[in-house]
């Protein structure tokens, strides 16, 4: 999704969140369970919530109410009464909206295009790790932790790479040549991440890496590539056409999918190399 889509969706969510905030505040003010001070404090907590913490409101609300009524023998509400009231306001949905506004929607933003020149591989970064269970000695005590679990591969010497989460989790994908429609490789994930690396940088870090040869379902190799690669996120929506235990017929669904998209040439032959990945397995 491009920046315009993300910005537009954020604006929509801001409006929806404000409307929901007002409904929750009305529910709090209409309740006979709380004092005027309780209501003011609960609404203040609601307005101070920025979406950075999950379950912020119920935790802080419980602490505030017990603080307000410390030593008050007439305060009859117990923990479950308070939690039950909070759940009835659907504040968790409001918190989810705030999270998406603050940082969640940025997860669906297309990456910048990255230039590559050489043999490239597409794989989960956990597969290239030097680790005892891979039969190699790590550079640090734990290379996976040292690179912040795949987020900071430059800490292991990578200079030309790109990494992001898959949104889906662990998956299996097929890479297709978009000109010929033929499959040119597969890759999968065990850490819910996908990366594009220069193979020579990977082998410099881990000379024993051979998944592109011996476990080809994990790693797509595209040799002699010169061009750009981008992570593209696509949005789909529709309605369920039947009832199940998880959803009702006619209810709207939406989903997001990550694709690895490349445009370039084979620098040895001059032939175009255009590709796109599609999830084809769990």
């Amino acid at each position: 999704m491009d920046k315009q889509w993300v910005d537009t969706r954020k604006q929509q969510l801001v409006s929806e969140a404000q409307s929901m905030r007002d409904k929750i505040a009305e529910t709090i003010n209409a309740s006979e369970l709380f004092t005027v001070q309780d209501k003011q404090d609960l609404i203040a907590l609601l307005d101070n919530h920025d979406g950075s913490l999950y379950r912020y409101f119920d935790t802080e609300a419980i602490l505030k109410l017990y603080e307000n009524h410390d030593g008050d023998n007439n305060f009859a509400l117990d923990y479950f009464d308070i939690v039950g009231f909070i759940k009835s306001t659907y504040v968790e949905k409001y918190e989810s909206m705030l999270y998406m506004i603050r940082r969640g929607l940025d997860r669906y933003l297309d990456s910048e295009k990255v230039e590559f020149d050489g043999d490239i591989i597409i794989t989960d970064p956990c597969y290239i790790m030097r680790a005892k269970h891979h039969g190699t000695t790590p550079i640090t005590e734990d290379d996976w932790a040292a690179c912040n679990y795949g987020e900071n591969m430059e800490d292991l010497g990578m200079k030309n790479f790109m990494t992001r989460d898959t949104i889906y989790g662990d998956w299996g994908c097929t890479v297709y040549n978009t000109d010929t429609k033929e499959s040119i490789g597969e890759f999968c994930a065990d850490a819910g991440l996908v990366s594009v690396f220069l193979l020579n940088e990977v082998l410099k870090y881990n000379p024993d890496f051979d998944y592109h040869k011996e476990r080809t379902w994990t790693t797509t190799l595209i040799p002699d590539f010169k061009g750009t690669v981008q992570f593209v996120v696509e949005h789909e929506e529709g309605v369920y056409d039947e009832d199940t235990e998880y959803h009702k017929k006619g209810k709207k669904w939406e989903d997001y999918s990550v694709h690895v998209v490349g445009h370039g040439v084979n620098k040895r032959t001059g032939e175009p190399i255009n590709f796109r990945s599609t999830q084809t397995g769990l």
Side-chain angles (χ1 to χ4, degrees), residues 19-65:
S19 177
M20 190 158 196
R21 176 264 174 214
D22 293 343
K23 290 180 180 178
I24 296 171
E26 288 175 9
T27 302
I28 292 172
N29 279 323
S31 176
E32 297 181 354
L33 298 174
F34 310 115
T35 66
V36 172
Q37 186 62 56
D38 290 339
K39 294 174 182 180
Q40 291 175 350
D41 289 341
L42 291 177
I43 293 172
L45 287 174
L46 197 66
D47 290 339
N48 289 332
H49 196 342
D50 65 2
S52 61
L53 297 174
Y54 178 65
R55 300 292 296 273
Y56 162 88
F57 181 80
D58 58 354
T59 301
E60 294 300 314
I62 291 167
L63 292 174
K64 175 54 69 175
L65 289 171

Side-chain angles (χ1 to χ4, degrees), residues 11-242:
Q11 291 172 6
Q12 293 172 343
L13 278 177
V14 167
S15 177
E16 292 173 14
Q18 182 61 48
S19 177
M20 190 158 196
R21 176 264 174 214
D22 293 343
K23 290 180 180 178
I24 296 171
E26 288 175 9
T27 302
I28 292 172
N29 279 323
S31 176
E32 297 181 354
L33 298 174
F34 310 115
T35 66
V36 172
Q37 186 62 56
D38 290 339
K39 294 174 182 180
Q40 291 175 350
D41 289 341
L42 291 177
I43 293 172
L45 287 174
L46 197 66
D47 290 339
N48 289 332
H49 196 342
D50 65 2
S52 61
L53 297 174
Y54 178 65
R55 300 292 296 273
Y56 162 88
F57 181 80
D58 58 354
T59 301
E60 294 300 314
I62 291 167
L63 292 174
K64 175 54 69 175
L65 289 171
Y66 282 139
E67 177 186 317
N68 286 357
H69 296 278
D70 184 31
D72 182 359
N73 294 327
N74 294 319
F75 186 63
L77 296 179
D78 64 17
Y79 172 84
F80 296 103
D81 292 326
I82 299 171
V83 170
F85 173 80
I86 292 171
K87 284 186 176 297
S88 74
T89 67
Y90 298 102
V91 72
E92 285 187 27
K93 184 176 180 181
Y94 175 69
E95 290 181 306
S96 177
M97 288 180 179
L98 293 182
Y99 170 78
M100 291 297 286
I101 293 166
R102 178 182 171 89
R103 56 183 179 179
L105 277 172
D106 292 336
R107 187 184 188 196
Y108 304 120
L109 188 63
D110 296 343
S111 76
E112 296 294 328
K113 294 179 179 179
V114 177
E115 296 274 354
F116 288 93
D117 186 353
D119 296 348
I120 63 172
I121 60 170
I122 307 170
T123 193
D124 188 314
C126 74
Y127 295 139
I128 75 165
M129 289 296 107
R130 294 177 64 106
K132 291 181 179 178
H133 66 274
H134 284 172
T136 56
T137 302
I139 294 174
T140 68
E141 182 176 351
D142 183 345
D143 284 3
W144 189 229
C147 69
N148 193 23
Y149 308 101
E151 295 295 331
N152 304 322
M153 298 301 294
E154 64 273 15
D155 292 343
L156 298 179
M158 307 298 157
K159 296 179 181 179
N160 198 182
F161 71 94
M162 54 198 303
T163 298
R164 67 151 294 148
D165 69 282
T166 68
I167 295 180
Y168 181 84
D170 294 340
W171 64 357
C173 291
T174 301
V175 181
Y176 294 95
N177 181 312
T178 54
D179 296 320
T180 66
K181 314 304 180 186
E182 296 176 333
S183 168
I184 58 176
E186 296 177 322
F187 63 91
C188 61
D190 274 345
L193 298 171
V194 57
S195 294
V196 183
F197 298 110
L198 282 171
L199 180 59
N200 65 346
E201 290 191 351
V202 171
L203 294 176
K204 183 177 180 180
Y205 157 69
N206 182 5
D208 293 323
F209 176 77
D210 62 2
Y211 280 28
H212 58 300
K213 296 178 180 178
E214 302 300 328
R215 303 185 184 188
T216 54
W217 66 92
T218 70
T219 307
T220 293
L221 168 66
I222 303 176
D224 300 311
F225 178 80
K226 182 176 177 59
T228 63
V229 182
Q230 182 181 27
F231 294 133
V232 174
V233 180
E234 294 185 354
H235 174 252
E236 299 178 82
E237 61 182 29
V239 294
Y240 294 108
D241 55 11
E242 62 181 1

